[in-house]
Amino acid sequence: IGKFSTPVTGVAVDKTSTVSNGLSQTVYAMVDTLGVYKSTNGGSSFTLMSGSPAMKFNDITVDSNGDLLVSGAFYVYSYSKSANTWTKITTPAKETTLINNGIRLQSTVHPKNPNLLAVAVNTYVCEAIYYSTDRGATWKEILKSRGTGDYSGTVKNLMPWQKDTAIDSSPSWVAFDPFNDGRLLANAWYGTYQTLDYTASPVQWEETTYGIEEAFVRALLPMPEGARFELLLGANDFCGLGINNVFEF
């Protein structure tokens, strides 16, 4: 692409494009604050796309029609390959809220259904997950938190040291399962979560971090025989944990 003062934060390949030597020839790249660049020769050269948004980017996805979905700190944009036009998608998160308190806004599109979108909103005053069946014309909330007391569903945790509300902390990534139409995956501060039916009412979220190392351990203290715990563990964010059996999760 060239040398820029800001990073290339994402690359996506259009699998519906012309194939040469086994490689799709259309490739897109996001360059922070500059815009979206396009290659039609398999990445040998790139050109800035006319009308592309220039913002701090978070995510880029090519849908099954070859159209783009791009998200940044505050906005989501859709690009139509056939019309060669960019369209700003209105999300349920108010732009003033995102701009004044924003951390990130991440979007995704279902790999088989270009009208099915999901967004994760992560700000200091609103943390939520929404999905849309009409490419952003309307939205359904399936998780809302940050002091509201409304989780738009229920959460089942398998980690004994986590609260059932742990999913409300910084949901920053969401993705559809291409092999299970009802399954939606989400990532939050304390781990990964899933729902097997995001259209249910209420939505049942389940923590799926079991077996995945999540804690940043800073201190370990073996305890003497007869103590309440075998081991005391200090970790970032989790503070401290008392472990009864070091051979069990």
Side-chain angles (χ1 to χ4, degrees):
I1 297 177
K3 295 182 178 180
F4 300 101
S5 58
T6 57
V8 176
T9 54
V11 175
V13 176
D14 180 3
K15 296 181 180 179
T16 71
S17 65
T18 302
V19 175
S20 178
N21 297 321
L23 300 175
S24 299
Q25 292 301 288
T26 299
V27 183
Y28 299 95
M30 306 182 300
V31 181
D32 253 9
T33 70
L34 296 182
V36 180
Y37 286 71
K38 180 180 180 179
S39 171
T40 57
N41 53 19
S44 295
S45 61
F46 285 82
T47 303
L48 178 64
M49 297 177 68
S50 176
S52 74
M55 57 183 178
K56 291 188 70 65
F57 294 104
N58 288 328
D59 200 82
I60 183 170
T61 310
V62 180
D63 66 26
S64 55
N65 287 335
D67 296 334
L68 276 177
L69 189 72
V70 177
S71 61
F74 314 127
Y75 310 113
V76 177
Y77 286 86
S78 176
Y79 171 74
S80 170
K81 182 169 68 172
S82 60
N84 192 29
T85 56
W86 289 90
T87 302
K88 187 177 180 180
I89 294 178
T90 301
T91 65
K94 294 181 179 180
E95 290 179 7
T96 53
T97 299
L98 289 168
I99 292 172
N100 293 332
N101 304 280
I103 299 177
R104 62 177 285 132
L105 178 69
Q106 185 263 339
S107 64
T108 190
V109 60
H110 195 283
K112 298 177 182 178
N113 183 352
N115 291 317
L116 186 53
L117 311 181
V119 295
V121 180
N122 178 6
T123 78
Y124 291 113
V125 295
C126 175
E127 295 177 332
I129 295 174
Y130 304 89
Y131 79 92
S132 171
T133 58
D134 48 21
R135 204 168 177 83
T138 59
W139 296 89
K140 171 70 175 178
E141 177 188 280
I142 52 177
L143 175 73
K144 183 171 70 175
S145 61
R146 184 57 75 177
T148 64
D150 175 11
Y151 291 92
S152 305
T154 57
V155 182
K156 178 183 179 182
N157 266 323
L158 301 178
M159 311 289 274
W161 58 82
Q162 284 197 30
K163 302 181 297 182
D164 285 347
T165 57
I167 189 175
D168 77 348
S169 184
S170 301
S172 56
W173 172 84
V174 64
F176 293 101
D177 184 343
F179 306 107
N180 185 337
D181 287 340
R183 187 175 183 229
L184 187 68
L185 300 164
N187 187 65
W189 195 306
Y190 293 107
T192 58
Y193 295 82
Q194 70 171 358
T195 175
L196 298 180
D197 185 3
Y198 54 83
T199 67
S201 183
V203 175
Q204 171 67 61
W205 290 96
E206 180 178 280
E207 178 270 327
T208 59
T209 313
Y210 187 91
I212 302 175
E213 178 56 58
E214 279 289 308
F216 181 15
V217 178
R218 300 295 298 271
L220 289 172
L221 180 62
M223 301 302 290
E225 185 176 353
R228 180 182 176 186
F229 299 108
E230 290 186 6
L231 181 71
L232 295 181
L233 179 151
N236 279 19
D237 301 319
F238 292 104
C239 297
L241 300 173
I243 300 175
N244 292 312
N245 188 337
V246 296
F247 298 104
E248 291 182 0
F249 184 75

